[in-house]
Amino acid sequence: MRVRRLGFAAVKGTRHLSRPVVDLTVDGPEGDRRYAVADPSTGRVLRTVDHPALARVTAEVADGVLRLGLPDGTVVAGPAEAAEEGGTTVEGDYWGRPATLRPLDGSHDAALTAYLGLPATVVATEPGAVVWGAPVSVVTTGELDRLAGRLRGAGATVPAALDERFRATVTLEADDDPVPGTRLRLGTAVVEVVGRIERCAVIDADPRSGRRGSRLLRHLEQHGGLPVLGVDARVVVPGRVRVGDPGTPERAAD
């Protein structure tokens, strides 16, 4: 097994970008989903499954600045930090779960609002606040190849950059997903597989066009009556992972 791709999105729901290296902490990839886009009147975190146009926005953080790239080429930049300690916080909502949100200075909001066609504000989040499952996700090339085969067998088009649709932290060159309980050494980090990942209609949205229509969801394998692909994992030993690093099974948990 070897790491083929690494990726994350600095802003929840935006384009899942490839990275040459990620640092895994106990909360997942450092910087992953550090921010989110929320409705300023309700505090509800906007979800890509409801707003697929979000997936066309790129987000990069460097030197204390958050830069959002919109599909028309516009780049909107502003401070990456929320207000200082004691500043405004909002009790938000993520899939019915409470989430503490800290609005940024508003530099990004007007452009995002115009692009999405609804009120939107960029907020900083607490680690794990807008993560549904375990903090690290893994897909394998074997599972992706089998999915591509099912699509071709049904006369359907195989989307370009198929692995990007599943927004995995790690894409492994391997025939099968590691089973729950397996520990994997990835670079200097060790992760432990928790379980299969249930998928939703967000995978049917093209991250390049923001349009739905690929019908990937209907071609996924079923596990317990639910569509699944890939596994999620917790970080046992924090460390650095690079593209090309081996993925070495260490042991299965007792």
Side-chain angles (χ1 to χ4, degrees):
M1 291 188 284
R2 191 166 297 277
V3 176
R4 171 179 285 188
R5 180 183 185 268
L6 296 165
F8 69 77
V11 178
K12 173 74 175 180
T14 60
R15 183 84 175 266
H16 199 262
L17 300 178
S18 295
R19 311 279 177 174
V21 57
V22 297
D23 291 309
L24 295 184
T25 73
V26 293
D27 297 311
E30 187 173 1
D32 185 33
R33 293 168 284 190
R34 166 82 190 280
Y35 306 93
V37 181
D39 181 327
S41 64
T42 65
R44 185 180 184 188
V45 173
L46 302 189
R47 307 178 310 209
T48 316
V49 69
D50 300 319
H51 306 284
L54 263 178
R56 300 185 69 199
V57 178
T58 61
E60 298 279 2
V61 179
D63 301 323
V65 176
L66 171 63
R67 292 178 174 83
L68 301 182
L70 302 183
D72 65 359
T74 300
V75 176
V76 186
E81 296 302 320
E84 295 182 357
E85 196 77 21
T88 302
T89 62
V90 175
E91 287 307 309
D93 172 273
Y94 172 63
W95 287 98
R97 300 190 320 204
T100 299
L101 311 175
R102 291 174 289 118
L104 301 191
D105 75 340
S107 299
H108 312 88
D109 296 356
L112 266 183
T113 293
Y115 168 65
L116 294 172
L118 74 166
T121 187
V122 179
V123 295
T125 69
E126 300 297 321
V130 293
V131 179
W132 183 256
V136 172
S137 58
V138 179
V139 299
T140 59
T141 54
E143 290 290 336
L144 293 170
D145 289 345
R146 283 188 283 277
L147 171 59
R150 290 195 296 274
L151 289 167
R152 285 190 289 265
T157 300
V158 179
L162 182 59
D163 55 348
E164 186 181 332
R165 294 291 187 102
F166 295 94
R167 306 175 70 87
T169 311
V170 181
T171 302
L172 275 181
E173 293 178 354
D175 290 336
D176 297 294
D177 287 344
V179 299
T182 300
R183 287 193 174 185
L184 287 174
R185 178 167 291 278
L186 303 168
T188 61
V190 177
V191 302
E192 182 176 275
V193 176
V194 175
R196 304 294 297 274
I197 300 177
E198 299 170 10
R199 298 295 180 171
C200 66
V202 70
I203 66 172
D204 285 333
D206 185 342
R208 290 165 174 77
S209 68
R211 294 191 294 270
R212 296 188 177 96
S214 65
R215 299 191 177 183
L216 284 179
L217 194 64
R218 68 189 298 180
H219 293 285
L220 296 188
E221 290 184 346
Q222 299 286 310
H223 182 76
L226 297 169
V228 297
L229 191 140
V231 295
D232 57 8
R234 66 186 185 92
V235 178
V236 178
V237 178
R240 176 164 289 184
V241 189
R242 298 181 184 277
V243 171
D245 279 346
T248 307
E250 292 210 323
R251 69 174 180 83
D254 296 330

